[in-house]
Amino acid sequence: MLDYNLVLKRDELYLVGDISTDGSGERATGLYLRDTRHLSRFRVTINGMLPDRLSSHIHDPTSATVFTTNELIRLDDGGMIHPHQIALEHRVSLADGLHVTVVLENFSRRTATLALGLEFGADFRDLFDIRGFARDGRGHFVAPGLEEQRIVLGYCGLDGKLVETTIAFDRAPSIRLLRIDAHRPDQPVLLLPGFDAVAFEPASGVVPGAQATFMVPLAPGARWEMRTVVTPHPAGETVDSALSEVGGRVLTERATITTDNPLFDRVLKRSDLDLTSLMTHFPEGTLPAAGIPWYVAPFGRDSLIVGLQTYHLAPARAAGTLRVLAALQGDKIDRRREEEPGKILHEMRYGEMARCHEIPHTPYYGTVDATPLFVWLFAETVAWTGDHGLYHDLLPNVRRALEWIERYGDKDGDGFVEYRTDAHGVGHITHQVWKDSFDSLNEPDGRPITGLIAGIEVQGYVYAAYARLAEVVASYGDTAWASELRGKAEMLRRRVEDAFWLDADGYYAQALDGDKQPVRAISSNPGHLLACGLPSPERAQRIAARLRQPDLDSGWGIRTLSAKMATYNPMSYHNGSVWPHDNSLIGDGLYRYGHASAGHAIAEALFAVARAYFLDRLPELCCGFARQEGTDDAPVAYPVSCSPQAWAAAAMPLLVRAMLGLRVEIGTGRISVAPALPIWLNEITIRDLHVRGRRGSLAVRRAGEGYDVIADGLFVAVRRADDGDATPAVR
């Protein structure tokens, strides 16, 4: 198991690390609400010593149990209790706060009075502060409040707003105040996730804290328990207003996938659990947060791609995402926040640094791919659901998004959507595409690219938005607009083919630079064009062949950058690592163009990655070191990544849809399939599909050289798979 961290989440409240959040894990360890760390230290001791951890078990996204035991204990009477004689069980759950029940049980043969210590500290740091973004100053801590069974820790921010954390016990302890070292002086850190620069943690001092001690007499065989509740109080509101039950159609109206492979089913179940846990209710509505710990916030690109990956399973989730982002769509020109009329946001934040305008995330619009992805997801969601209300409600937002693409996104009138790399300021992003680290775009020899940039995959998203929207608006009778959109899609396709294609490489450039010259780096980005349906079949075949070359294909998935490039580094964030969501889009496109064997290779690789990780969970990314075939190999973990992470969790559902060739026919309301299953799968069943007002199930089973397709409650058509599989029988 490569990940032992305990991560729990309920709506905007989440816990990272195990319950001993003493900084021994990654720097994000703690309890968070509204971009603020409300608990930075929670250390449990027995007679002053940290217990040994035996195991931890996560029951569901909001609860877990951690088992620990004692080391050698020397008693006041000169006696000893040997290791592993006292069981210490921690039952952890999230509700209106962090609930922890501590259970002590004495398995030794002697009576002992044990000192159970619980040490608390809350640094109340903004998440961007933890990530390394420099601050000129901070607010001040409020003197802790102490009562017989209650501790109150507080902080007054630079905006004058008070945030607090209360700790309440169901037994009366002895309580003393502590001064906890908050940071190591002048500790260098790197900005996350793109490692844009080195920052220094402040040498500032100590965090007020408190220790609660319970003197527990335990006879042999006796049990004792105590309950504590840690409740965060965000700035300017109650915990009840910051936490809500995320439910209704968003969570209940979702399909489930089962197969004849129980190991694969575990991966799919983990995907469903993670996506459900990441659903978060924000003031603007409900959508999947991008990932824990860094991105429990409304996110444009990530949430939209999750919608594209899973609209067939959770159309209500996709619709909710669209409505939240439509509510926050740009309506003016604001250079600091990079807002423009019609633009879809990159990220929204609610912490002290956002409230004090130290970062532009109120919201921040520094991305150029979210807007075409918004239009594309709108079209796919309406096509799948036939939701007339969604269509008419959001059509004005879609028109504004298209206006942004053509007026503001195309900065020089050449027909491509571009971004500038000269944005400056805290929190601003240099490369405003999914590979948004500062060093993600370079020539093959390593020279960085600056200026006005047109990313290849962004043009694919625009093409898909035009093409799919044309089908949808035609079904609503707007044939003139549909014809216009089809014309724009075809014009963009020709421009991309002319400007980006590298014939000698049989591949597309990663981008066009400021001089409109192709950036000839070989990367994973062009693989997204296959999911968008832009390349001709002939060029798609060449792309498929190039993707399978060992410089791109690590065996654990397609690398973000070819190993032949000068800036290749398998341990980098975007220059040689492997991202499951990236691979799922590529795999989807490979199946779409009939290259099933290449799609199978990606699906098998990601399946193997998931099985190597804790809880069968696909990571946000892993290192791009080559897989050693014929050995008991495992992927190399990337050191700092989100877990769980939404578009990684959504990767397998997309690949299952791609294996089935599952589509919706807008004109007839039928779904159609063209199955091509890998050798390790013989049957896939999707239950509780919601398609254009109908609800039912779909099962696909291998039958000799073809497949049986069994539908219940749905109209299903069967296509011949493009790779030559026999046409299945339909029952």
Side-chain angles (χ1 to χ4, degrees):
M1 295 183 182
L2 301 178
D3 184 358
Y4 201 71
N5 276 340
L6 184 69
V7 177
L8 301 177
K9 179 179 177 294
R10 178 188 176 271
D11 204 24
E12 288 189 81
L13 180 69
Y14 63 98
L15 174 72
V16 179
D18 62 24
I19 64 168
S20 295
T21 58
D22 60 356
S24 60
E26 63 177 330
R27 294 173 59 250
T29 302
L31 180 71
Y32 292 85
L33 182 66
R34 286 282 165 91
D35 298 324
T36 302
R37 181 156 62 186
H38 280 265
L39 196 66
S40 53
R41 188 180 187 91
F42 185 171
R43 187 161 68 174
V44 180
T45 60
I46 303 176
N47 286 33
M49 295 179 293
L50 292 173
D52 286 337
R53 182 168 56 185
L54 299 176
S55 69
S56 62
H57 178 66
I58 297 177
H59 308 296
D60 57 48
T62 65
S63 65
T65 301
V66 179
F67 292 93
T68 63
T69 186
N70 67 294
E71 294 188 345
L72 179 68
I73 297 176
R74 297 183 182 277
L75 301 175
D76 291 341
D77 62 6
M80 293 184 296
I81 295 180
H82 290 278
H84 307 166
Q85 300 292 303
I86 306 295
L88 177 56
E89 179 183 347
H90 317 260
R91 302 170 189 164
V92 187
S93 64
L94 296 181
D96 54 345
L98 171 64
H99 293 243
V100 181
T101 298
V102 178
V103 180
L104 285 171
E105 190 165 4
N106 185 359
F107 290 96
S108 75
R109 297 183 180 181
R110 62 171 298 162
T111 298
T113 297
L114 303 176
L116 176 72
L118 279 72
E119 188 176 299
F120 301 92
D123 61 8
F124 297 104
R125 291 178 69 192
D126 188 285
L127 192 67
F128 276 70
D129 186 13
I130 295 169
R131 286 172 55 185
F133 288 84
R135 300 194 68 186
D136 292 333
R138 287 182 175 81
H140 62 273
F141 293 107
V142 176
L146 302 181
E147 300 175 8
E148 183 179 0
Q149 294 182 207
R150 188 168 177 264
I151 302 167
V152 181
L153 304 175
Y155 168 82
C156 185
L158 292 176
D159 57 352
K161 292 188 175 181
L162 178 68
V163 290
E164 290 184 322
T165 300
T166 62
I167 303 110
F169 311 97
D170 70 343
R171 295 173 180 265
S174 63
I175 300 174
R176 68 184 181 92
L177 296 180
L178 299 175
R179 292 173 61 82
I180 300 169
D181 288 336
H183 317 292
R184 289 170 290 179
D186 295 324
Q187 176 66 29
V189 296
L190 292 166
L191 301 188
L192 301 174
F195 300 156
D196 294 60
V198 175
F200 286 87
E201 284 201 49
S204 65
V206 294
V207 171
Q211 183 179 56
T213 302
F214 300 84
M215 300 308 297
V216 184
L218 274 183
R223 286 170 56 92
W224 177 93
E225 71 176 56
M226 180 277 303
R227 288 179 292 277
T228 182
V229 179
V230 180
T231 305
H233 300 276
E237 53 189 318
T238 66
V239 67
D240 291 336
S241 66
L243 294 175
S244 66
E245 288 295 337
V246 180
R249 292 180 61 221
V250 172
L251 293 188
T252 59
E253 189 180 292
R254 69 182 197 275
T256 58
I257 307 170
T258 56
T259 74
D260 65 321
N261 186 324
L263 296 177
F264 191 55
D265 283 356
R266 290 175 60 178
V267 175
L268 292 171
K269 179 66 173 177
R270 173 50 49 193
S271 165
D272 181 63
L273 288 171
D274 285 348
L275 288 170
T276 300
S277 72
L278 286 168
M279 292 304 299
T280 309
H281 184 79
F282 299 102
E284 298 77 21
T286 301
L287 81 171
I292 299 174
W294 309 118
Y295 301 115
V296 179
F299 226 83
R301 174 197 310 119
D302 292 48
S303 297
L304 289 163
I305 286 181
V306 170
L308 287 166
Q309 292 169 305
T310 63
Y311 64 79
H312 60 299
L313 300 180
R317 179 167 59 213
T321 296
L322 289 165
R323 290 187 181 278
V324 171
L325 296 178
L328 294 167
Q329 188 173 23
D331 59 11
K332 61 182 178 297
I333 294 176
D334 183 335
R335 299 301 183 195
R336 182 175 181 274
R337 299 191 302 154
E338 302 198 55
E339 178 183 3
E340 292 165 332
K343 198 174 186 182
I344 300 299
L345 65 82
H346 173 63
E347 187 177 358
M348 179 78 168
R349 292 292 178 169
Y350 306 97
E352 179 189 4
M353 292 179 68
R355 297 193 305 271
C356 293
H357 305 289
E358 297 176 46
I359 55 174
H361 297 62
T362 57
Y364 176 53
Y365 293 84
T367 187
V368 296
D369 50 9
T371 308
L373 287 168
F374 175 84
V375 179
W376 185 10
L377 179 59
F378 168 84
E380 295 290 3
T381 306
V382 172
W384 186 266
T385 62
D387 187 337
H388 303 314
L390 183 70
Y391 178 81
H392 291 293
D393 288 349
L394 297 191
L395 195 59
N397 301 91
V398 169
R399 289 185 179 276
R400 292 172 60 210
L402 291 172
E403 183 180 1
W404 178 86
I405 289 170
E406 295 163 10
R407 179 178 178 184
Y408 297 98
D410 182 2
K411 298 186 180 304
D412 57 5
D414 65 346
F416 298 129
V417 171
E418 301 115 344
Y419 63 90
R420 298 187 183 279
T421 60
D422 55 1
H424 297 290
V426 174
H428 282 243
I429 296 172
T430 301
H431 289 296
Q432 300 191 354
V433 290
W434 88 260
K435 293 179 181 175
D436 55 4
S437 53
F438 78 105
D439 60 349
S440 65
L441 185 62
N442 304 276
E443 290 287 2
D445 63 5
R447 286 177 292 127
I449 304 299
T450 59
L452 193 64
I453 307 298
I456 181 62
E457 76 278 12
V458 179
Q459 318 314 317
Y461 304 157
V462 176
Y463 171 85
Y466 283 145
R468 195 57 166 156
L469 184 62
E471 297 180 60
V472 170
V473 301
S475 72
Y476 280 88
D478 198 337
T479 56
W481 191 24
S483 177
E484 178 187 345
L485 289 167
R486 284 192 292 269
K488 289 179 177 180
E490 178 57 25
M491 183 179 297
L492 178 58
R493 189 192 69 78
R494 291 198 303 266
R495 285 172 172 162
V496 169
E497 296 283 36
D498 291 343
F500 286 84
W501 182 251
L502 307 173
D503 196 60
D505 297 300
Y507 209 60
Y508 292 94
Q510 185 175 345
L512 300 182
D513 66 17
D515 297 322
K516 299 302 172 187
Q517 295 302 304
V519 179
R520 306 182 73 90
I522 303 300
S523 68
S524 64
N525 303 55
H528 292 209
L529 296 185
L530 300 176
C532 300
L534 185 148
S536 66
E538 295 75 21
R539 287 189 173 175
Q541 185 172 13
R542 295 187 69 182
I543 296 171
R546 186 65 186 86
L547 286 167
R548 300 201 70 178
Q549 295 301 308
D551 62 313
L552 277 175
D553 188 353
S554 71
W556 300 114
I558 305 302
R559 296 183 177 100
T560 47
L561 186 69
S562 162
K564 295 181 178 180
M565 302 295 104
T567 54
Y568 167 72
N569 176 357
M571 298 175 289
S572 71
Y573 200 58
H574 288 135
N575 290 327
S577 54
V578 172
W579 288 66
H581 95 277
D582 186 31
N583 276 262
S584 74
L585 292 169
I586 295 169
D588 178 43
L590 289 167
Y591 282 111
R592 173 177 181 151
Y593 277 88
H595 299 287
S597 60
H600 294 342
I602 286 178
E604 187 281 328
L606 295 189
F607 182 22
V609 170
R611 290 195 59 203
Y613 274 75
F614 182 48
L615 299 176
D616 298 299
R617 171 183 286 153
L618 275 171
E620 178 183 8
L621 71 158
C622 59
C623 293
F625 292 104
R627 185 177 184 178
Q628 302 301 312
E629 297 294 344
T631 66
D632 187 18
D633 196 13
V636 177
Y638 185 78
V640 182
S641 62
C642 289
S643 179
Q645 209 266 359
W647 62 11
M652 279 305 185
L654 173 57
L655 288 173
V656 169
R657 186 176 81 210
M659 294 172 189
L660 296 175
L662 184 60
R663 303 178 190 170
V664 65
E665 298 176 355
I666 299 176
T668 64
R670 300 183 303 184
I671 59 174
S672 67
V673 294
L677 304 186
I679 193 171
W680 42 272
L681 280 181
N682 293 304
E683 181 177 341
I684 296 175
T685 300
I686 307 181
R687 294 181 176 85
D688 207 23
L689 278 167
H690 293 70
V691 189
R692 300 190 71 84
R694 298 183 68 86
R695 180 174 177 175
S697 63
L698 174 71
V700 175
R701 298 169 183 165
R702 196 185 302 275
E705 296 299 316
Y707 301 90
D708 286 341
V709 178
I710 304 169
D712 180 14
L714 302 171
F715 297 122
V716 178
V718 182
R719 310 186 314 275
R720 180 181 295 274
D722 294 334
D723 64 348
D725 280 355
T727 302
V730 182
R731 293 187 296 205

